[in-house]
Amino acid sequence: MATVLAFDVYGTLIDTHGVVAELEERLAGRGHGERAAEFSRRWRDKQLEYSFRRGLMGAYVPFDRCTREALEFTDRALQTGLGDGDRDHLMGVYGRLPAFPEAAEALARFAEAGITCVAFSNGTREAVEGLLERAGIRERFEAVVSVDEVKRFKPDPAVYAHLRQRLEVAPGDTWLISSNPFDVIGARHAGLHAAWVRRSPEAPFDPWGIEPDMTVADLDALAERLT
């Protein structure tokens, strides 16, 4: 098989902060509408923290449970007073988050160039399939590879090994595309190539001495480099 691009989903293809408008509406009724952006950031950070902690504990649960528990924690931490109905609604919104504006066109360019693309996510296959379908980009991926298949979370080396085994491709022919530095470092540590999608020019990269093979501002810039 030729080179494969394995795209992280949450934060790379799909905008996890696409929930802010719904958060603002829900929080406004409780006098906290101005905290929607902060709530979104803290929810996302805690979601990832919970996956890391569960990975270290060997206590795997599906990623949507980490997301739900992180939502409840953030509500408690910010004392925003969300009810069960609010949390159910927001979890539904999380299942239909939008793709980043340039994603569809960039993926079309990879397809035209004959480059194989797969989605590679901490989310379950069912969740990711639905998310990509609703975002209108599922058809651009040859496969969806989920960590749920090995009951580990990124950046465990086992998940990157699983990706290669599923695709039957050598490490040097596999590129991880992610906006998350921990994912890029995990892939590089596992012997894969990796491109960091640095969506914010202020975003720092972890000073671990493990660098991405490529850094780009968005998926359009990635397509310019690889097609």
Side-chain angles (χ1 to χ4, degrees), residues 1-14 107 110 115-122 128 132 137 140-147 149 154 159-180 182-188 190-197 213-214 216 219 222 226:
M1 181 181 287
T3 298
V4 174
L5 303 184
F7 287 82
D8 172 61
V9 176
Y10 295 97
T12 303
L13 295 168
I14 300 295
L107 290 167
F110 290 124
I115 297 173
T116 298
C117 296
V118 301
F120 176 46
S121 179
N122 271 341
V128 173
L132 297 178
I137 56 176
R140 297 303 183 185
F141 297 99
E142 183 171 300
V144 170
V145 181
S146 168
V147 305
E149 296 158 15
K154 299 175 181 181
V159 304
Y160 303 102
H162 174 65
L163 172 69
R164 292 190 289 104
Q165 290 163 2
R166 273 283 308 273
L167 301 176
E168 299 182 343
V169 63
D173 293 329
T174 309
W175 278 78
L176 184 280
I177 314 299
S178 181
S179 65
N180 300 299
F182 75 84
D183 196 9
V184 171
I185 290 172
R188 294 285 289 117
L192 280 62
H193 292 297
W196 180 33
V197 183
D213 294 284
M214 183 186 305
V216 294
L219 298 178
L222 181 72
L226 296 182

Side-chain angles (χ1 to χ4, degrees), residues 42-59:
R42 292 187 65 169
W43 182 9
R44 170 64 169 164
D45 288 346
K46 186 60 68 168
Q47 174 201 50
L48 292 174
E49 179 191 328
Y50 282 176
S51 72
F52 298 153
R53 286 165 57 183
R54 286 189 174 278
L56 287 168
M57 290 166 62

